[in-house]
mmCIF file of all heavy atoms in Angstrom:
data_model
loop_
_atom_site.group_PDB
_atom_site.id
_atom_site.type_symbol
_atom_site.label_atom_id
_atom_site.label_comp_id
_atom_site.label_asym_id
_atom_site.label_seq_id
_atom_site.Cartn_x
_atom_site.Cartn_y
_atom_site.Cartn_z
ATOM 1 N N MET A 22 76.252 71.210 62.875
ATOM 2 C CA MET A 22 75.278 70.268 63.440
ATOM 3 C C MET A 22 75.975 69.053 64.039
ATOM 4 O O MET A 22 75.613 68.579 65.118
ATOM 5 C CB MET A 22 74.295 69.819 62.355
ATOM 6 C CG MET A 22 73.287 70.880 61.955
ATOM 7 S SD MET A 22 72.169 70.310 60.645
ATOM 8 C CE MET A 22 71.382 68.915 61.477
ATOM 9 N N LEU A 23 76.996 68.564 63.355
ATOM 10 C CA LEU A 23 77.735 67.398 63.837
ATOM 11 C C LEU A 23 78.428 67.701 65.165
ATOM 12 O O LEU A 23 78.343 66.919 66.122
ATOM 13 C CB LEU A 23 78.764 66.975 62.790
ATOM 14 C CG LEU A 23 79.630 65.770 63.137
ATOM 15 C CD1 LEU A 23 78.776 64.519 63.286
ATOM 16 C CD2 LEU A 23 80.694 65.564 62.064
ATOM 17 N N LEU A 24 79.101 68.836 65.236
ATOM 18 C CA LEU A 24 79.829 69.188 66.457
ATOM 19 C C LEU A 24 78.880 69.463 67.617
ATOM 20 O O LEU A 24 79.149 69.074 68.765
ATOM 21 C CB LEU A 24 80.728 70.395 66.199
ATOM 22 C CG LEU A 24 81.840 70.195 65.161
ATOM 23 C CD1 LEU A 24 82.642 71.473 64.991
ATOM 24 C CD2 LEU A 24 82.757 69.053 65.564
ATOM 25 N N ARG A 25 77.775 70.127 67.327
ATOM 26 C CA ARG A 25 76.808 70.416 68.389
ATOM 27 C C ARG A 25 76.163 69.143 68.918
ATOM 28 O O ARG A 25 75.727 69.095 70.071
ATOM 29 C CB ARG A 25 75.746 71.378 67.866
ATOM 30 C CG ARG A 25 76.278 72.805 67.672
ATOM 31 C CD ARG A 25 75.329 73.676 66.867
ATOM 32 N NE ARG A 25 75.894 75.014 66.642
ATOM 33 C CZ ARG A 25 75.529 75.816 65.662
ATOM 34 N NH1 ARG A 25 74.564 75.438 64.801
ATOM 35 N NH2 ARG A 25 76.088 76.998 65.524
ATOM 36 N N SER A 26 76.111 68.096 68.094
ATOM 37 C CA SER A 26 75.506 66.835 68.526
ATOM 38 C C SER A 26 76.331 66.153 69.618
ATOM 39 O O SER A 26 75.823 65.282 70.320
ATOM 40 C CB SER A 26 75.347 65.877 67.337
ATOM 41 O OG SER A 26 76.605 65.365 66.914
ATOM 42 N N VAL A 27 77.606 66.553 69.745
ATOM 43 C CA VAL A 27 78.450 65.999 70.808
ATOM 44 C C VAL A 27 78.825 67.098 71.803
ATOM 45 O O VAL A 27 79.882 67.061 72.434
ATOM 46 C CB VAL A 27 79.712 65.326 70.232
ATOM 47 C CG1 VAL A 27 79.350 64.062 69.464
ATOM 48 C CG2 VAL A 27 80.508 66.291 69.353
ATOM 49 N N SER A 28 77.947 68.105 71.924
ATOM 50 C CA SER A 28 78.059 69.169 72.937
ATOM 51 C C SER A 28 79.280 70.067 72.760
ATOM 52 O O SER A 28 79.835 70.572 73.738
ATOM 53 C CB SER A 28 78.062 68.561 74.344
ATOM 54 O OG SER A 28 76.882 67.827 74.573
ATOM 55 N N ILE A 29 79.701 70.268 71.518
ATOM 56 C CA ILE A 29 80.759 71.235 71.240
ATOM 57 C C ILE A 29 80.084 72.514 70.747
ATOM 58 O O ILE A 29 79.442 72.516 69.695
ATOM 59 C CB ILE A 29 81.746 70.710 70.182
ATOM 60 C CG1 ILE A 29 82.457 69.451 70.696
ATOM 61 C CG2 ILE A 29 82.770 71.797 69.821
ATOM 62 C CD1 ILE A 29 83.366 68.801 69.670
ATOM 63 N N LYS A 30 80.209 73.565 71.511
ATOM 64 C CA LYS A 30 79.628 74.856 71.108
ATOM 65 C C LYS A 30 80.292 75.286 69.802
ATOM 66 O O LYS A 30 81.512 75.188 69.650
ATOM 67 C CB LYS A 30 79.853 75.900 72.197
ATOM 68 C CG LYS A 30 79.297 77.284 71.841
ATOM 69 C CD LYS A 30 79.505 78.255 72.990
ATOM 70 C CE LYS A 30 79.150 79.688 72.583
ATOM 71 N NZ LYS A 30 77.761 79.824 72.127
ATOM 72 N N THR A 31 79.481 75.751 68.860
ATOM 73 C CA THR A 31 80.009 76.065 67.527
ATOM 74 C C THR A 31 79.570 77.441 67.055
ATOM 75 O O THR A 31 78.405 77.809 67.191
ATOM 76 C CB THR A 31 79.537 75.010 66.504
ATOM 77 O OG1 THR A 31 79.868 73.705 66.991
ATOM 78 C CG2 THR A 31 80.220 75.211 65.171
ATOM 79 N N GLU A 32 80.517 78.188 66.527
ATOM 80 C CA GLU A 32 80.232 79.469 65.889
ATOM 81 C C GLU A 32 80.618 79.347 64.425
ATOM 82 O O GLU A 32 81.715 78.886 64.100
ATOM 83 C CB GLU A 32 81.037 80.598 66.547
ATOM 84 C CG GLU A 32 80.636 80.872 67.989
ATOM 85 C CD GLU A 32 81.416 82.031 68.593
ATOM 86 O OE1 GLU A 32 82.181 82.687 67.826
ATOM 87 O OE2 GLU A 32 81.277 82.283 69.798
ATOM 88 N N THR A 33 79.706 79.739 63.524
ATOM 89 C CA THR A 33 79.979 79.606 62.097
ATOM 90 C C THR A 33 80.153 80.968 61.432
ATOM 91 O O THR A 33 79.526 81.954 61.839
ATOM 92 C CB THR A 33 78.832 78.851 61.391
ATOM 93 O OG1 THR A 33 77.611 79.585 61.551
ATOM 94 C CG2 THR A 33 78.657 77.452 61.986
ATOM 95 N N TYR A 34 81.007 80.993 60.423
ATOM 96 C CA TYR A 34 81.289 82.225 59.695
ATOM 97 C C TYR A 34 81.329 81.916 58.200
ATOM 98 O O TYR A 34 81.998 80.972 57.770
ATOM 99 C CB TYR A 34 82.631 82.813 60.125
ATOM 100 C CG TYR A 34 82.671 83.180 61.590
ATOM 101 C CD1 TYR A 34 83.038 82.226 62.538
ATOM 102 C CD2 TYR A 34 82.326 84.448 62.030
ATOM 103 C CE1 TYR A 34 83.052 82.537 63.895
ATOM 104 C CE2 TYR A 34 82.347 84.776 63.378
ATOM 105 C CZ TYR A 34 82.709 83.812 64.304
ATOM 106 O OH TYR A 34 82.725 84.119 65.636
ATOM 107 N N ALA A 35 80.617 82.738 57.419
ATOM 108 C CA ALA A 35 80.561 82.529 55.973
ATOM 109 C C ALA A 35 81.758 83.144 55.259
ATOM 110 O O ALA A 35 81.965 82.885 54.070
ATOM 111 C CB ALA A 35 79.267 83.128 55.415
ATOM 112 N N SER A 36 82.540 83.925 55.967
ATOM 113 C CA SER A 36 83.711 84.539 55.345
ATOM 114 C C SER A 36 84.834 84.678 56.364
ATOM 115 O O SER A 36 84.591 84.795 57.570
ATOM 116 C CB SER A 36 83.366 85.923 54.780
ATOM 117 O OG SER A 36 83.090 86.837 55.829
ATOM 118 N N ALA A 37 86.044 84.677 55.856
ATOM 119 C CA ALA A 37 87.208 84.833 56.720
ATOM 120 C C ALA A 37 87.254 86.225 57.330
ATOM 121 O O ALA A 37 87.656 86.398 58.485
ATOM 122 C CB ALA A 37 88.481 84.560 55.916
ATOM 123 N N SER A 38 86.842 87.224 56.547
ATOM 124 C CA SER A 38 86.885 88.591 57.062
ATOM 125 C C SER A 38 85.965 88.765 58.263
ATOM 126 O O SER A 38 86.325 89.421 59.240
ATOM 127 C CB SER A 38 86.510 89.588 55.952
ATOM 128 O OG SER A 38 85.233 89.295 55.421
ATOM 129 N N ARG A 39 84.776 88.149 58.205
ATOM 130 C CA ARG A 39 83.853 88.248 59.337
ATOM 131 C C ARG A 39 84.432 87.553 60.572
ATOM 132 O O ARG A 39 84.336 88.068 61.690
ATOM 133 C CB ARG A 39 82.507 87.619 58.952
ATOM 134 C CG ARG A 39 81.473 87.618 60.079
ATOM 135 C CD ARG A 39 81.124 89.031 60.538
ATOM 136 N NE ARG A 39 80.536 89.802 59.470
ATOM 137 C CZ ARG A 39 79.234 89.794 59.189
ATOM 138 N NH1 ARG A 39 78.396 89.072 59.899
ATOM 139 N NH2 ARG A 39 78.769 90.542 58.201
ATOM 140 N N PHE A 40 85.055 86.407 60.362
ATOM 141 C CA PHE A 40 85.688 85.696 61.476
ATOM 142 C C PHE A 40 86.784 86.551 62.114
ATOM 143 O O PHE A 40 86.841 86.702 63.335
ATOM 144 C CB PHE A 40 86.269 84.368 61.008
ATOM 145 C CG PHE A 40 87.190 83.722 62.006
ATOM 146 C CD1 PHE A 40 86.674 83.161 63.170
ATOM 147 C CD2 PHE A 40 88.564 83.697 61.794
ATOM 148 C CE1 PHE A 40 87.527 82.580 64.114
ATOM 149 C CE2 PHE A 40 89.416 83.126 62.723
ATOM 150 C CZ PHE A 40 88.897 82.568 63.886
ATOM 151 N N LEU A 41 87.645 87.111 61.289
ATOM 152 C CA LEU A 41 88.755 87.916 61.809
ATOM 153 C C LEU A 41 88.260 89.148 62.541
ATOM 154 O O LEU A 41 88.872 89.593 63.513
ATOM 155 C CB LEU A 41 89.692 88.314 60.664
ATOM 156 C CG LEU A 41 90.501 87.167 60.038
ATOM 157 C CD1 LEU A 41 91.246 87.656 58.808
ATOM 158 C CD2 LEU A 41 91.467 86.565 61.058
ATOM 159 N N GLU A 42 87.152 89.716 62.100
ATOM 160 C CA GLU A 42 86.573 90.884 62.760
ATOM 161 C C GLU A 42 86.099 90.551 64.165
ATOM 162 O O GLU A 42 86.220 91.361 65.085
ATOM 163 C CB GLU A 42 85.390 91.421 61.947
ATOM 164 C CG GLU A 42 85.765 92.164 60.682
ATOM 165 C CD GLU A 42 84.538 92.506 59.846
ATOM 166 O OE1 GLU A 42 83.403 92.244 60.328
ATOM 167 O OE2 GLU A 42 84.702 93.016 58.723
ATOM 168 N N GLN A 43 85.558 89.343 64.351
ATOM 169 C CA GLN A 43 84.918 88.994 65.614
ATOM 170 C C GLN A 43 85.800 88.164 66.544
ATOM 171 O O GLN A 43 85.529 88.079 67.740
ATOM 172 C CB GLN A 43 83.610 88.251 65.333
ATOM 173 C CG GLN A 43 82.599 89.097 64.572
ATOM 174 C CD GLN A 43 81.241 88.430 64.461
ATOM 175 O OE1 GLN A 43 80.942 87.454 65.146
ATOM 176 N NE2 GLN A 43 80.402 88.954 63.582
ATOM 177 N N PHE A 44 86.841 87.543 66.015
ATOM 178 C CA PHE A 44 87.695 86.695 66.846
ATOM 179 C C PHE A 44 88.605 87.556 67.711
ATOM 180 O O PHE A 44 89.338 88.404 67.211
ATOM 181 C CB PHE A 44 88.532 85.769 65.963
ATOM 182 C CG PHE A 44 89.431 84.849 66.747
ATOM 183 C CD1 PHE A 44 88.899 83.842 67.528
ATOM 184 C CD2 PHE A 44 90.805 85.002 66.696
ATOM 185 C CE1 PHE A 44 89.728 82.988 68.248
ATOM 186 C CE2 PHE A 44 91.640 84.154 67.405
ATOM 187 C CZ PHE A 44 91.096 83.143 68.186
ATOM 188 N N SER A 45 88.553 87.333 69.004
ATOM 189 C CA SER A 45 89.339 88.156 69.930
ATOM 190 C C SER A 45 90.475 87.387 70.595
ATOM 191 O O SER A 45 91.190 87.932 71.420
ATOM 192 C CB SER A 45 88.421 88.732 71.010
ATOM 193 O OG SER A 45 87.768 87.684 71.722
ATOM 194 N N GLY A 46 90.622 86.129 70.265
ATOM 195 C CA GLY A 46 91.708 85.352 70.846
ATOM 196 C C GLY A 46 91.197 84.231 71.731
ATOM 197 O O GLY A 46 90.004 83.959 71.804
ATOM 198 N N ILE A 47 92.130 83.573 72.405
ATOM 199 C CA ILE A 47 91.795 82.448 73.264
ATOM 200 C C ILE A 47 90.928 82.922 74.431
ATOM 201 O O ILE A 47 91.230 83.918 75.082
ATOM 202 C CB ILE A 47 93.068 81.779 73.804
ATOM 203 C CG1 ILE A 47 93.921 81.264 72.632
ATOM 204 C CG2 ILE A 47 92.722 80.635 74.729
ATOM 205 C CD1 ILE A 47 93.246 80.231 71.772
ATOM 206 N N THR A 48 89.849 82.186 74.682
ATOM 207 C CA THR A 48 88.938 82.532 75.766
ATOM 208 C C THR A 48 89.157 81.608 76.956
ATOM 209 O O THR A 48 90.191 80.973 77.072
ATOM 210 C CB THR A 48 87.475 82.406 75.278
ATOM 211 O OG1 THR A 48 87.227 81.029 74.909
ATOM 212 C CG2 THR A 48 87.236 83.281 74.055
ATOM 213 N N GLU A 49 88.146 81.541 77.843
ATOM 214 C CA GLU A 49 88.281 80.714 79.041
ATOM 215 C C GLU A 49 88.030 79.250 78.768
ATOM 216 O O GLU A 49 88.044 78.438 79.676
ATOM 217 C CB GLU A 49 87.306 81.210 80.127
ATOM 218 C CG GLU A 49 85.841 80.864 79.888
ATOM 219 C CD GLU A 49 85.159 81.766 78.879
ATOM 220 O OE1 GLU A 49 85.813 82.696 78.369
ATOM 221 O OE2 GLU A 49 83.964 81.539 78.599
ATOM 222 N N ARG A 50 87.822 78.877 77.514
ATOM 223 C CA ARG A 50 87.524 77.486 77.164
ATOM 224 C C ARG A 50 88.481 76.995 76.081
ATOM 225 O O ARG A 50 89.036 77.781 75.318
ATOM 226 C CB ARG A 50 86.085 77.373 76.668
ATOM 227 C CG ARG A 50 85.845 78.134 75.357
ATOM 228 C CD ARG A 50 84.404 78.006 74.906
ATOM 229 N NE ARG A 50 83.524 78.824 75.713
ATOM 230 C CZ ARG A 50 82.236 78.570 75.895
ATOM 231 N NH1 ARG A 50 81.691 77.521 75.324
ATOM 232 N NH2 ARG A 50 81.493 79.361 76.641
ATOM 233 N N PRO A 51 88.689 75.666 76.004
ATOM 234 C CA PRO A 51 89.479 75.133 74.893
ATOM 235 C C PRO A 51 88.753 75.398 73.583
ATOM 236 O O PRO A 51 87.527 75.327 73.518
ATOM 237 C CB PRO A 51 89.567 73.634 75.210
ATOM 238 C CG PRO A 51 88.435 73.355 76.134
ATOM 239 C CD PRO A 51 88.232 74.608 76.928
ATOM 240 N N ALA A 52 89.497 75.719 72.539
ATOM 241 C CA ALA A 52 88.873 76.099 71.267
ATOM 242 C C ALA A 52 89.647 75.521 70.100
ATOM 243 O O ALA A 52 90.817 75.147 70.218
ATOM 244 C CB ALA A 52 88.794 77.620 71.158
ATOM 245 N N ILE A 53 88.978 75.482 68.939
ATOM 246 C CA ILE A 53 89.584 74.984 67.714
ATOM 247 C C ILE A 53 88.965 75.714 66.531
ATOM 248 O O ILE A 53 87.820 76.161 66.609
ATOM 249 C CB ILE A 53 89.386 73.451 67.586
ATOM 250 C CG1 ILE A 53 90.203 72.896 66.410
ATOM 251 C CG2 ILE A 53 87.898 73.106 67.432
ATOM 252 C CD1 ILE A 53 90.246 71.374 66.386
ATOM 253 N N LEU A 54 89.720 75.837 65.448
ATOM 254 C CA LEU A 54 89.236 76.492 64.236
ATOM 255 C C LEU A 54 89.262 75.496 63.083
ATOM 256 O O LEU A 54 90.296 74.881 62.813
ATOM 257 C CB LEU A 54 90.116 77.695 63.904
ATOM 258 C CG LEU A 54 89.911 78.336 62.524
ATOM 259 C CD1 LEU A 54 88.497 78.894 62.377
ATOM 260 C CD2 LEU A 54 90.954 79.432 62.294
#
Side-chain angles (χ1 to χ4, degrees):
M22 287 179 61
L23 180 63
L24 297 179
R25 288 167 183 157
S26 72
V27 291
S28 301
I29 297 175
K30 179 178 171 59
T31 307
E32 294 182 6
T33 61
Y34 299 87
S36 68
S38 57
R39 178 61 62 87
F40 167 72
L41 291 173
E42 286 173 5
Q43 298 188 14
F44 181 68
S45 59
I47 300 299
T48 62
E49 74 281 359
R50 65 180 74 206
I53 189 170
L54 169 62

